[in-house]
Each structure stands twice: as structure tokens, then as C-alpha cells.
């Protein structure tokens, strides 16, 4: 997530995909210095890099010691120092990553931003609401067993806190299933290695070019139960049709409360476990990791988001 920081030390501004700087009430980075114009400059994500556009400001914009011509556009990179209106009103771009969704507390607290396209509110230890990018590249929010699309400037209440969501105005990067550096969840086979007493559940994800060892984690028990549900439904459908292939759209769905009961945990702990599954896969570089657990509206049903499954006893 790109961050502009007052230089040499000071406040921070997390950059939106189009970030207006000036004294106007509409500015995303609002300044009070009289040398700054109402709409002084815009920082914009081009899809590859950050770009600064001076908006014909009266006192100009200085980038890395050079004053821009009125209306000039220049690329920015991490470490660039930008001064608005005067040299001592300097800000440094300390991170030039692509923009992502932000959650801004309505009262007090730090701005929160998604990591690996996942954002838990009010915290990762209490993911009452989870915002993520779905398989279509849209930002969605999952809360109370329901999933809906996120709109820019939407407010959400989680953990008795209210947050304003700012959605980046950008198209999701194109997913490349053939790239070994970025395997897509849908292209993977999940292999569960389960001990006879079921105290140990290890997981590996195998793609065309690589095998990702996800180790043994307590939250893998959630995925294991969902995997068994998909396989059981698949076997039943196969028996009913004499082995003919059937669509998988109806297989593997389990009511959330029933899943929690089988795991002997409450639904809050189930939500934490699901979030940890998503986070682990995202950190492993798996594209579409949030879809490891799917939800079906309007019912409170969930299922494993991968159809290729292997379960072995070790």
C-alpha cells in the first residue's frame, strides 16, 4: 500500500488510486498552508506506477528538487520527495505499492489496509467482518454469514466500531494460471495428510509447476471437514447417476452452525479459523485465496472452494 509521509517526520497519508492534494474540502490529503492551492496536485496509480500531476498550482510542485512546469506530469517511485507550494512542505513516498482497500475508523484509531487482498475488521484476532477480492476481482464483504459487494465510501460496523471503506478505482490484475510464481486457487489440488487419530492434519497444494507445503495447522480441520463433505456428495451423485459426471455446483454445502458443532467450536471461532485459512494461502502467494471457503446466499451455507481433493491417512 502506497504511503506519503510528511518529510522528514510527521503524519501519513495512505494513497487512494486517485489522490487529490490541496486546501479544498474535497482533497484526500488536505493541507492548510496558504502557499498550497485549493486543488494543487493529483497522485494517480497508472496500473504500473504512481504518477504526480501538478494542476497548474500558483506556487508550484517540486519533485526531488526540481520544480515542475504548471500542469506537468511525472512518475514517482519509493523514496521520491514532493514539496507542495514551498520547499519545507515536503512529503516522501515511502511505499509505491499498488493501492488497495482502506478502512478508516470514524472516531479514533489507525487506518487499516488490506494485505494480500484480505482485510479483517475490527482485527485479525476478531474478524467479525472480512473484506476480500472475489474470483471476479470485485471487493466484497463477508459478515454475519452474508456476502455483498463493497461500495466506495460505504460504512461498516464491526466490533462496535464504525469504519469508512475506500475502494480503489482500478481493475484487478489479470490472473495467470500458468505462472509458477502466482498459482490460482482453482488450478490447485489440495492434499490432506491425516493421522489415524485425526490430531494431525497437514496440507499441501499442488499445481502444474509447483507444490506448496502448508504444513500442519489447527485451522486445516475446517478445510478437512469441508473437503469430506464435497467428496461424500460427489460419491452420492455418482452412485445415483451410474458414474456419469455431474456438475459440482451443489456439492459440499454445509450449514455454518452445523460445521461449528462438528468442530466443537462456536461460530466466532469458526470465523477466525476461516480467516486464518485464507490468510495462510494468501501469504503463500496463492491467487484467489479468499475463495478457499465459499458462502451461498441467502442460506448460511459454506463449502470448500476447491474441487480437486485428495485425503490420505498417515
Amino acid at each position: 500500500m502506497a504511503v506519503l509521509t510528511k518529510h522528514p517526520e510527521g503524519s501519513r497519508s495512505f494513497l487512494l488510486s486517485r489522490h487529490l492534494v490541496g486546501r479544498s474540502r474535497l482533497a484526500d490529503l488536505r493541507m492548510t498552508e496558504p502557499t498550497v492551492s485549493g486543488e494543487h496536485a493529483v497522485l494517480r496509480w497508472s496500473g504500473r506506477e504512481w504518477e504526480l500531476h501538478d494542476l497548474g498550482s500558483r506556487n508550484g510542485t517540486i519533485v526531488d528538487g526540481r520544480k515542475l512546469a504548471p500542469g506537468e506530469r511525472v512518475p514517482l517511485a519509493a523514496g521520491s520527495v514532493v514539496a507542495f507550494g514551498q520547499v519545507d512542505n515536503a512529503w516522501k513516498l515511502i511505499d509505491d505499492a499498488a493501492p488497495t482497500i482502506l478502512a478508516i475508523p470514524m472516531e479514533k484509531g489507525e487506518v487499516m489496509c488490506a494485505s494480500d487482498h484480505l482485510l479483517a475488521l475490527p482485527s485479525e484476532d476478531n474478524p467479525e467482518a472480512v473484506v476480500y477480492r472475489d474470483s471476479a476481482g470485485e471487493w466484497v464483504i463477508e459478515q454475519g454469514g452474508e456476502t455483498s459487494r463493497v461500495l466506495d465510501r460505504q460504512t461498516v460496523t464491526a466490533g462496535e466500531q464504525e469504519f469508512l471503506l475506500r475502494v480503489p478505482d482500478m481493475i484487478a490484475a489479470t490472473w495467470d494460471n500458468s505462472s509458477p510464481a502466482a498459482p490460482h486457487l482453482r488450478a490447485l489440488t489440495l492434499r490432506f495428510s491425516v493421522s489415524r487419530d485425526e490430531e494431525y492434519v497437514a496440507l499441501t497444494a499442488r499445481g502444474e509447476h509447483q507444490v506448496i507445503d502448508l504444513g500442519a495447522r489447527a485451522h486445516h480441520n475446517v478445510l478437512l471437514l469441508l473437503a469430506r463433505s464435497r467428496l461424500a456428495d460427489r460419491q452420492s451423485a455418482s452412485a445415483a447417476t451410474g458414474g456419469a459426471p455431474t456438475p459440482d455446483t451443489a456439492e459440499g454445502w454445509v450449514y455454518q452452525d452445523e460445521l461449528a458443532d462438528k468442530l466443537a467450536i462456536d461460530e466466532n471461532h469458526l470465523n477466525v479459523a476461516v480467516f486464518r485459512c485464507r490468510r495462510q494461502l494468501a501469504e503463500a502467494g496463492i491467487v484467489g485465496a479468499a475463495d478457499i471457503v465459499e458462502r451461498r446466499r441467502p442460506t448460511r451455507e459454506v463449502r470448500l472452494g476447491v474441487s480437486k481433493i485428495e485425503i490420505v491417512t498417515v
Side-chain angles (χ1 to χ4, degrees):
M1 181 72 195
V3 182
L4 201 63
T5 303
K6 191 74 167 66
H7 188 65
E9 295 180 0
S11 57
R12 297 187 300 168
S13 182
F14 293 89
L15 298 187
L16 304 169
S17 48
R18 184 184 185 279
H19 209 80
L20 178 63
V21 179
R23 287 190 292 124
S24 167
R25 288 186 301 172
L26 299 177
D28 301 296
L29 175 52
R30 191 176 180 188
M31 299 182 177
T32 58
E33 290 81 359
T35 54
V36 174
S37 299
E39 294 188 358
H40 193 102
V42 165
L43 291 98
R44 186 181 68 87
W45 176 252
S46 70
R48 299 182 304 274
E49 62 184 0
W50 286 95
E51 176 185 87
L52 183 139
H53 179 201
D54 178 84
L55 299 177
S57 59
R58 179 179 295 273
N59 294 298
T61 303
I62 302 168
V63 177
D64 293 330
R66 184 178 74 84
K67 187 171 183 178
L68 304 184
E72 184 177 353
R73 300 173 186 263
V74 294
L76 298 179
S80 293
V81 176
V82 183
F84 302 98
Q86 59 193 57
V87 294
D88 59 353
N89 183 24
W91 294 72
K92 185 175 184 178
L93 187 65
I94 62 172
D95 190 333
D96 62 355
T100 189
I101 198 164
L102 298 177
I104 305 170
M106 298 296 285
E107 294 185 2
K108 60 180 181 179
E110 293 289 326
V111 174
M112 302 173 66
C113 60
S115 173
D116 299 311
H117 302 304
L118 278 173
L119 174 62
L121 299 173
S123 70
E124 294 195 0
D125 292 329
N126 181 25
E128 187 176 305
V130 177
V131 183
Y132 62 91
R133 236 175 183 151
D134 66 10
S135 57
E138 298 286 349
W139 287 103
V140 296
I141 183 168
E142 183 179 285
Q143 188 173 24
E146 294 288 332
T147 303
S148 59
R149 184 178 176 183
V150 173
L151 301 177
D152 189 34
R153 297 186 181 275
Q154 176 179 334
T155 59
V156 57
T157 300
E160 301 183 350
Q161 290 180 264
E162 191 173 18
F163 299 89
L164 175 70
L165 300 180
R166 297 304 313 271
V167 180
D169 182 18
M170 56 184 289
I171 299 173
T174 301
W175 290 337
D176 182 1
N177 285 345
S178 66
S179 171
H184 193 285
L185 180 69
R186 305 294 187 191
L188 297 176
T189 297
L190 294 187
R191 180 183 177 89
F192 295 85
S193 299
V194 187
S195 63
R196 294 187 183 278
D197 59 8
E198 305 215 350
E199 292 294 321
Y200 173 93
V201 180
L203 181 62
T204 57
R206 188 176 70 251
E208 183 179 354
H209 300 284
Q210 63 195 126
V211 175
I212 303 170
D213 184 0
L214 297 165
R217 301 287 189 276
H219 52 257
H220 291 167
N221 287 300
V222 175
L223 302 183
L224 176 63
L225 281 181
L226 293 176
R228 284 174 168 162
S229 180
R230 277 197 83 139
L231 292 177
D233 286 354
R234 188 176 302 167
Q235 291 168 0
S236 296
S238 178
T241 60
T246 58
D248 69 356
T249 54
E251 75 178 27
W253 293 103
V254 180
Y255 285 101
Q256 181 169 305
D257 57 347
E258 294 179 359
L259 179 61
D261 287 343
K262 289 179 180 179
L263 292 164
I265 58 177
D266 59 31
E267 290 193 42
N268 288 334
H269 285 90
L270 176 60
N271 289 336
V272 172
V274 169
F275 179 79
R276 288 175 177 168
C277 291
R278 289 168 165 165
R279 168 64 71 213
Q280 185 188 18
L281 269 63
E283 290 177 345
I286 297 173
V287 178
D291 291 328
I292 186 63
V293 175
E294 298 177 333
R295 294 186 184 272
R296 181 158 66 177
R297 300 177 63 188
T299 67
R300 290 170 53 82
E301 291 175 286
V302 295
R303 75 166 179 174
L304 187 71
V306 174
S307 62
K308 292 178 284 188
I309 304 160
E310 299 174 358
I311 302 176
V312 298
T313 303
V314 295

